[in-house]
Amino acid sequence: LVSSSNSARTLVPAGPMNESWRGVAFQPDASWPVTPMPVGYETGTNLTVGNILFVVATNASAAAKAGDAAVLDRLTRVLGHQVTVMHDAVAQTSHASGRHLVIVSSSSVSGNVNTKFRDVAVPVINWDRSLVDDFRIGAVASSTTSSSNLVITPAGAGHPAVGGFSAGTRVIRTGATAMSVASATGLAPGAQVLATANNLPAVILVEQGQLLLNSQAAPARRIHMSWGDEGLTGVNATGLELFDVAVAYALSGSSSTLVYAYLIATDTRTV
């Protein structure tokens, strides 16, 4: 039986598909994003997508730009979200209004973002290591550690924000790269370390209402992830799955009503 806590792989095709997906032996690859159960569809013109603000440095290095482009491609082409990309110096607190999620890339300059999105009542995913303290998740800005693995902690085992994986090591990249990690000390009282890299907090969750530092209750979900300037470049299927479920989990904590924006292509043949 399928539990409501399970995850599923789904795909919204942009056109006709190879019939192999109908076979009993078919195994979906990473192009089929992971989403929490339950899964459904509609045939009307109002189909759910998230309205996401993606804060980056548009003048970043070539490698960082490529990483952001990979993230944008995943969010839009694969996951189907509506995404507004905004330069860090241009982005203001007011730009979070009406969004379902704010994502801050490590390509952004921390001084240009600072506390702009700390108090917004919108879920935030951040992997700019220098903003951990600005978001009051940790007492000090985080650092980097070179790794291609994440270790799901006992606290993260089975958690939907990390795909329901069991505790243990997961290879998420094709090669080691600099991951944004936090200090193991000085974390917010409400912080849950769901995964580590080289024993340092790499995926951190603070649920809405749980305490950040300075006794501030988180106004919405806050997730720190470990993606560095490479973004999703060089990330394998497991890593992409972790990205997908983190986005889905963050969006599920949005207080805004998700707006459907396009038709899902459905198979109308009689079986």
Side-chain angles (χ1 to χ4, degrees):
L1 296 179
V2 178
S3 167
S4 61
S5 63
N6 290 139
S7 296
R9 286 192 179 273
T10 60
L11 180 67
V12 181
M17 291 181 60
N18 187 294
E19 290 294 302
S20 63
W21 72 272
R22 293 175 173 275
V24 294
F26 176 75
Q27 292 291 325
D29 59 23
S31 68
W32 291 59
V34 177
T35 185
M37 294 286 282
V39 175
Y41 69 93
E42 291 183 18
T43 57
T45 56
N46 294 320
L47 303 180
T48 304
V49 295
N51 185 341
I52 299 174
L53 177 66
F54 186 28
V55 181
V56 306
T58 56
N59 58 352
S61 68
K65 285 182 178 180
D68 288 340
V71 171
L72 180 62
D73 179 72
R74 189 76 184 176
L75 289 171
T76 55
R77 184 183 63 82
V78 179
L79 299 180
H81 299 301
Q82 294 179 332
V83 181
T84 300
V85 179
M86 193 167 291
H87 183 55
D88 51 13
V90 175
Q92 300 299 323
T93 304
S94 60
H95 289 127
S97 178
R99 310 285 182 181
H100 306 121
L101 175 63
V102 174
I103 298 178
V104 182
S105 168
S106 64
S107 72
S108 64
V109 177
S110 60
N112 288 340
V113 178
N114 204 275
T115 60
K116 290 175 181 177
F117 302 106
R118 184 189 65 196
D119 302 323
V120 298
V122 176
V124 176
I125 295 177
N126 168 64
W127 58 83
D128 185 332
R129 63 184 181 275
S130 298
L131 293 175
V132 172
D133 53 340
D134 295 294
F135 280 112
R136 292 181 172 167
I137 292 174
V140 296
S142 62
S143 57
T144 62
T145 188
S146 180
S147 180
S148 59
N149 304 333
L150 284 181
V151 178
I152 307 298
T153 66
H159 200 291
V162 285
F165 284 125
S166 58
T169 300
R170 303 287 168 176
V171 179
I172 65 168
R173 286 188 176 274
T174 55
T177 189
M179 291 188 179
S180 296
V181 292
S183 171
T185 59
L187 290 177
Q192 303 176 59
V193 179
L194 305 183
T196 62
N198 293 332
N199 298 314
L200 294 170
V203 180
I204 308 168
L205 168 67
V206 181
E207 293 282 14
Q208 180 179 7
Q210 295 300 304
L211 289 182
L212 300 166
L213 294 176
N214 295 354
S215 299
Q216 175 188 355
R221 279 180 178 152
R222 299 291 186 257
I223 301 177
H224 170 83
M225 300 199 77
S226 60
W227 314 114
D229 287 349
E230 294 85 356
L232 296 182
T233 302
V235 173
N236 64 17
T238 300
L240 291 173
E241 181 173 349
L242 286 169
F243 176 82
D244 294 349
V245 296
V247 170
Y249 189 76
L251 284 169
S252 70
S254 176
S255 61
S256 301
T257 301
L258 297 182
V259 179
Y260 289 97
Y262 60 89
L263 283 172
I264 292 179
T266 59
D267 191 310
T268 58
R269 279 195 326 186
T270 300
V271 179

